[in-house]
Amino acid sequence: MRWLRAPVLALAAAALLVACAPVDDVTTLRLAHSLDIGHPVHRGMVFMAERVAAYSEGRMRVELYPGGQLGSERELVELVQIGALDLTKVSASPLEAFVPAMKVFSLPYVFHSREHAHRVLDSEIGRRLLRAPEIARLRGLGYYDAGSRSFYMVDQPVATPADLAGRKIRVMKSQTAVEMIAAFGASATPIAWGELYTALQQGVVDGAENNPPSFYRSRHYETCRYYALNEHTTVPDILLISLRSWERLEPEERRWLQRAVDESVVYQRELWREATQEALAAVSAAGVVVTRPDKRPFMDAVAGMKAAWDGTPVGDMLRAIEAVE
């Protein structure tokens, strides 16, 4: 197991006192994440918690702690690893640091479309990837839609990869994301999400990349006036449970939880579709120039990056995904 930082250890000690605790014969699971309460992924998890309560007739409940109350995304994953926290939501990209198989989601242009992504995630391929985190004492329960990531810039539009040459682009803490930005000719700069607004405002970076709801809800459109929907990656959010917490649940409790998660995934996908439309309309009304550049030059720029995985388990996964109709 990875060494945990001191603040995480302190939080872990407190959380261990309450994690997965039965109170008055009620099994309580605690779910923490870093999103705000209006985010469609948070709303999907609220729906999941409501279904758990309904299916269990009040004998099981999920308590949500949004907005980073219990730590950063990485800290929350570490707490779930050791069973000090029951559940968290994490983007698949930073999860590759714990589970190498998750690297496939960070590669560019893996999916043909949003619909293709959903078919893959709902297939045996997706289910197999949800089981992969068990090597890190984590269990994936389901995927929440996090859309496709595209470039937004402070002071210039992006029509081709040439427009990114030499520019500093914020990325998540994912080595694969860093390599992708380099393939586009830009300089990748990992910065924590909560620090990005200031970094854009002060010129620490020239731009970033994310999905429309995140671009809008973060208010990054106040600084970045150009948004190019090249949709280079489609990285899902994954709902994780501690393997320790999962193993403590009774078989019936596991069925309640998994059924609730499965239903919340369907519900959340519709929330995401609506949120994406609303976000694009809102940023356009605020004066952001939203464009849809030809994707082919972007795909060509990263073709070698994907080809480098030929003959590896990740390459085999890419071919399997490509074959899903």
Side-chain angles (χ1 to χ4, degrees):
M1 182 180 295
R2 298 172 180 271
W3 290 102
L4 301 180
R5 292 175 291 279
V8 180
L9 284 172
L11 180 56
L16 275 169
L17 298 176
V18 296
C20 201
V23 180
D24 298 329
D25 296 324
V26 175
T27 298
T28 301
L29 299 175
R30 287 165 175 80
L31 191 171
H33 64 82
S34 59
L35 302 173
D36 67 79
I37 60 174
H39 196 285
V41 173
H42 172 78
R43 292 167 62 195
M45 290 185 282
V46 170
F47 180 86
M48 178 272 293
E50 292 171 348
R51 301 315 299 155
V52 165
Y55 289 135
S56 67
E57 297 181 343
R59 287 173 287 169
M60 184 177 181
R61 68 185 181 191
V62 177
E63 294 182 350
L64 276 76
Y65 297 85
Q69 295 178 48
L70 300 186
S72 67
E73 188 170 69
R74 184 180 179 90
E75 289 169 340
L76 294 176
V77 172
E78 291 173 342
L79 289 176
V80 173
Q81 272 190 300
I82 64 174
L85 179 69
D86 301 303
L87 297 147
T88 192
K89 185 285 307 175
V90 63
S91 172
S93 283
L95 191 58
E96 71 181 50
F98 298 85
V99 187
M102 292 295 167
K103 190 181 294 287
V104 70
F105 288 123
S106 298
L107 291 170
Y109 299 107
V110 170
F111 303 111
H112 308 152
S113 64
R114 180 173 183 265
E115 292 72 24
H116 179 235
H118 290 169
R119 289 194 296 272
V120 170
L121 297 178
D122 293 341
S123 73
E124 177 54 32
I125 296 171
R127 289 188 289 273
R128 189 161 68 248
L129 284 167
L130 284 178
R131 294 192 293 271
E134 292 187 4
I135 64 171
R137 301 295 296 167
L138 304 165
R139 180 185 178 91
L141 294 176
Y143 300 98
Y144 288 127
D145 197 338
S148 294
R149 302 177 74 89
S150 297
F151 291 109
Y152 50 88
M153 307 293 287
V154 172
D155 60 3
Q156 72 171 58
V158 174
T160 71
D163 296 319
L164 294 168
R167 309 293 280 183
K168 294 175 292 184
I169 305 297
R170 179 268 178 182
V171 296
M172 292 185 287
K173 293 182 179 180
S174 157
Q175 184 57 39
T176 308
V178 170
E179 293 170 3
M180 177 189 66
I181 295 302
F184 285 136
S187 175
T189 305
I191 294 175
W193 179 246
E195 300 170 8
L196 180 53
Y197 186 99
T198 301
L200 290 164
Q201 198 173 47
Q202 295 180 350
V204 176
V205 290
D206 301 305
E209 44 89 54
N210 216 317
N211 55 63
S214 294
F215 177 48
Y216 173 56
R217 298 192 65 82
S218 63
R219 306 187 74 86
H220 291 169
Y221 67 89
E222 294 177 347
T223 301
C224 296
R225 310 307 292 170
Y226 298 93
Y227 193 22
L229 299 177
N230 66 306
E231 300 180 329
H232 45 266
T233 52
T234 301
V235 183
D237 281 344
I238 299 179
L239 183 63
L240 295 172
I241 186 170
S242 167
L243 203 56
R244 179 176 177 175
S245 298
W246 178 259
E247 290 169 350
R248 283 202 297 253
L249 295 176
E250 298 294 333
E252 187 175 36
E253 292 174 325
R254 295 180 186 179
R255 288 192 292 271
W256 291 334
L257 179 60
Q258 189 62 64
R259 183 180 177 187
V261 171
D262 292 345
E263 292 185 4
S264 73
V265 165
V266 176
Y267 174 76
Q268 189 270 339
R269 285 177 180 174
E270 181 58 25
L271 290 180
W272 189 267
R273 186 189 65 79
E274 294 172 356
T276 297
Q277 293 176 343
E278 292 168 1
L280 290 174
V283 299
S284 295
V288 174
V289 178
V290 178
T291 58
R292 295 181 181 272
D294 180 4
K295 294 181 184 179
R296 178 51 56 185
F298 293 92
M299 296 172 74
D300 291 343
V302 295
M305 181 180 173
K306 293 170 68 176
W309 291 100
D310 289 349
T312 71
V314 171
D316 294 341
M317 184 71 69
L318 287 172
R319 284 194 296 275
I321 290 173
E322 180 73 23
V324 174
E325 298 180 353

